């Protein structure tokens, strides 16, 4: 039995050699990575067994809790190179408020556009934050906050809008309602205001990210009422979902090189991550992959969370995945251990059979 236990322990050690996930939270907690900066500082959240969310930053095994604005919950959405974080936190009146967090200064409430709530969604290297906030009539509008004041970006003729991305040139993307009530992906600049990016033939679309070249990623309804990820190059909308055989697709991030990342959902199957790079569509296998896909960094990391069957754990994976499996030294050790275990089982089985034939006790 001691031999069996030893072999089993080695098998477990082989599995443990895989990439570690999470922020070191307990086994009853969940974690999610929202963004990661060039210094390796991850912005995310930890959720306890009661569903309470807490904004955190994480690096090298150390978790820093960002706190709240007087309420119980908070979460992060984005982080820039300086380590400035934005997201949402509950205040003492149980209202969600957009925040700016900086080490040493803590969490600061960014206010609203006249209503009760707001959320910070994106931040650029200058620290300008984009998101959306309630207005006086009860609707919500996209905003930018430059550190001093919150600016209302308006709509495309409808009642509501929200911002999801901002680049270092101050260009903002998101979705805004038309006069007929349908939402459209938009790009906003201080000089030209809000521009409708159109659709892939359907009624609605939404932008989720923009890089410094002005390339926009998002998702649009098609003429046959399916959702397809898109890349807008500044002049036209390119259908990325058409490169994917099955399922609905949604782009969630874009980096400086124009690589687009997103998620594919097909019926009740687990979602898959896709990466559009150098004109090619790559779909990550679901083995050790992301369940929730977020952003892609300039050095090719994709952040989000994977699902272990009972909880989510924060995880970053490379954007380029070689689908041809390459054996590792530990794999050869595993095969050797399996052969040894099989040989041990066969030997014991033979002894058991031989003792049975001779009428002796069949014991190990």
């Amino acid at each position: 039995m001691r031999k069996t236990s030893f072999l089993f322990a080695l098998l477990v050690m082989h599995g443990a050699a895989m990439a570690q996930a999470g922020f070191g939270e307990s086994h009853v907690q969940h974690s999610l990575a929202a963004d990661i900066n060039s210094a390796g500082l991850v912005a995310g959240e930890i959720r306890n067994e009661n569903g309470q969310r807490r904004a955190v930053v994480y690096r090298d095994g150390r978790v820093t809790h960002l706190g709240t604005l007087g309420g119980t919950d908070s979460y992060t959405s984005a982080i820039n190179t300086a380590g400035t974080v934005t997201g949402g936190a509950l205040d003492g009146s149980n209202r969600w408020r957009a925040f700016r967090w900086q080490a040493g200064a803590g969490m600061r409430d960014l206010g609203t556009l006249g209503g009760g709530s707001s959320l910070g969604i994106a931040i650029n290297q200058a620290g300008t934050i984009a998101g959306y906030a309630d207005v006086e009539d009860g609707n919500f509008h996209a905003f930018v906050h430059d550190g001093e004041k919150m600016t209302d970006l308006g709509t495309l003729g409808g009642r509501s809008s929200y911002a999801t991305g901002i680049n270092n040139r101050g260009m903002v993307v998101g979705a805004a309602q038309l006069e007929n009530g349908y939402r459209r992906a938009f790009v906003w600049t201080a000089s030209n205001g809000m521009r409708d990016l159109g659709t892939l033939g359907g009624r609605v679309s939404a932008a989720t990210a923009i890089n410094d070249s002005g390339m926009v990623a998002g998702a649009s309804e098609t003429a046959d009422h399916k959702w397809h990820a898109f890349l807008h190059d500044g002049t036209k909308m390119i259908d990325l979902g058409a490169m994917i055989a099955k399922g609905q697709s949604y782009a969630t991030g874009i980096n400086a090189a124009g690589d687009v990342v997103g998620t594919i959902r097909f019926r009740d199957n687990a979602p898959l991550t896709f990466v559009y790079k150098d004109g090619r569509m790559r779909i990550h296998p679901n083995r050790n992959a992301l369940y929730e896909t977020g952003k892609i960094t300039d050095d090719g990391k994709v952040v989000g969370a994977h699902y272990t069957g009972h909880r989510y754990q924060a995880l970053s994976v490379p954007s380029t995945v070689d689908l041809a499996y390459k054996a590792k030294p530990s794999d050869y050790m595993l095969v050797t251990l399996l052969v040894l275990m099989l040989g041990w089982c066969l030997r014991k089985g033979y002894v058991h059979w031989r003792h049975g034939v001779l009428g002796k006790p069949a014991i190990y």
Side-chain angles (χ1 to χ4, degrees):
M1 288 300 293
R2 279 182 290 182
K3 289 182 179 178
T4 308
S5 300
F6 175 70
L7 291 171
F8 180 73
L10 288 176
L11 291 175
V12 171
M13 288 171 60
H14 176 267
M18 296 180 184
Q20 295 298 306
F23 298 144
E25 66 275 9
S26 73
H27 70 281
V28 296
Q29 295 177 320
H30 302 260
S31 61
L32 173 70
D35 200 1
I36 182 172
N37 68 12
S38 57
L41 189 62
V42 182
E45 67 176 82
I46 293 176
R47 187 177 304 186
N48 68 18
E49 61 271 28
N50 298 317
Q52 185 183 73
R53 306 164 71 183
R54 283 301 179 98
V56 300
V57 290
Y58 173 87
R59 180 168 56 192
D60 300 331
R62 181 181 177 185
V63 176
T64 301
H65 290 263
L66 308 190
T68 72
L69 291 169
T72 57
D73 293 63
S74 59
Y75 70 93
T76 69
S77 299
I79 185 171
N80 66 10
T81 301
T84 305
V85 180
T86 192
L90 286 176
D91 66 9
S93 300
N94 208 39
R95 298 172 301 185
W96 285 103
R97 304 298 283 260
F99 71 79
R100 176 195 307 274
W101 180 92
Q102 293 172 291
M107 187 178 287
R108 174 190 163 201
D109 187 340
L110 298 185
T112 73
L113 292 170
S117 301
S118 58
L119 293 172
I121 305 299
I123 187 170
N124 65 15
Q125 302 307 340
T128 303
I129 292 171
Y132 57 100
D134 291 344
V135 293
E136 290 184 12
D137 65 4
N139 291 299
F140 52 89
H141 285 187
F143 74 76
V144 289
H145 196 291
D146 62 4
E148 298 295 331
K149 66 182 186 301
M150 183 178 286
T151 301
D152 188 340
L153 305 190
T155 72
L156 290 169
R159 295 178 297 178
S160 63
S161 61
Y162 58 88
T164 54
I166 184 170
N167 68 12
N168 292 319
R169 296 161 57 191
M171 301 171 70
V172 179
V173 295
Q177 220 172 24
L178 299 170
E179 190 173 0
N180 62 12
Y182 291 119
R183 288 190 178 134
R184 291 289 182 84
F186 73 78
V187 61
W188 177 94
T189 63
S191 57
N192 296 320
M194 192 175 286
R195 178 167 67 95
D196 185 347
L197 295 183
T199 73
L200 292 170
R203 300 161 295 177
V204 292
S205 59
T208 53
I210 183 170
N211 67 11
D212 288 344
S213 299
M215 302 171 74
V216 179
S220 170
E221 186 185 52
T222 61
D224 56 356
H225 306 303
K226 295 179 180 178
W227 279 93
H228 280 193
F230 73 74
L231 170 65
H232 198 291
D233 63 6
T235 58
K236 64 183 182 299
M237 189 176 282
I238 301 166
D239 189 346
L240 302 185
M243 305 177 191
I244 300 168
K246 295 179 180 179
Q248 318 273 359
S249 57
Y250 311 86
T252 56
I254 187 169
N255 66 10
D259 304 335
V260 179
V261 68
T263 189
I264 304 167
R265 295 184 180 272
F266 180 65
R267 296 180 181 172
D268 294 329
N269 298 320
L272 298 174
T273 298
F274 76 80
V275 177
Y276 176 76
K277 180 181 177 69
D278 300 328
R280 289 184 55 202
M281 180 63 68
R282 297 171 173 86
I283 300 174
H284 287 205
N286 57 17
R287 181 184 67 249
N288 301 322
L290 295 174
Y291 192 92
E292 296 290 339
T293 304
K295 300 177 182 178
I296 181 170
T297 63
D298 290 344
D299 61 354
K301 295 186 185 72
V302 183
V303 297
H306 78 156
Y307 188 60
T308 63
H310 64 283
R311 67 182 180 127
Y312 292 91
Q313 285 188 288
L315 185 69
S316 68
V317 298
S319 59
T320 53
V321 174
D322 188 352
L323 299 181
Y325 184 79
K326 291 185 172 69
K328 304 183 292 293
S330 59
D331 294 331
Y332 296 111
M333 181 181 73
L334 176 63
V335 171
T336 301
L337 292 173
L338 290 173
V339 170
L340 290 173
M341 182 175 282
L342 178 62
W344 181 83
C345 291
L346 289 173
R347 178 177 176 276
K348 288 298 182 181
Y350 171 74
V351 170
H352 182 86
W353 172 81
R354 185 169 178 271
H355 285 181
V357 168
L358 297 177
K360 296 179 181 180
I363 58 173
Y364 286 79

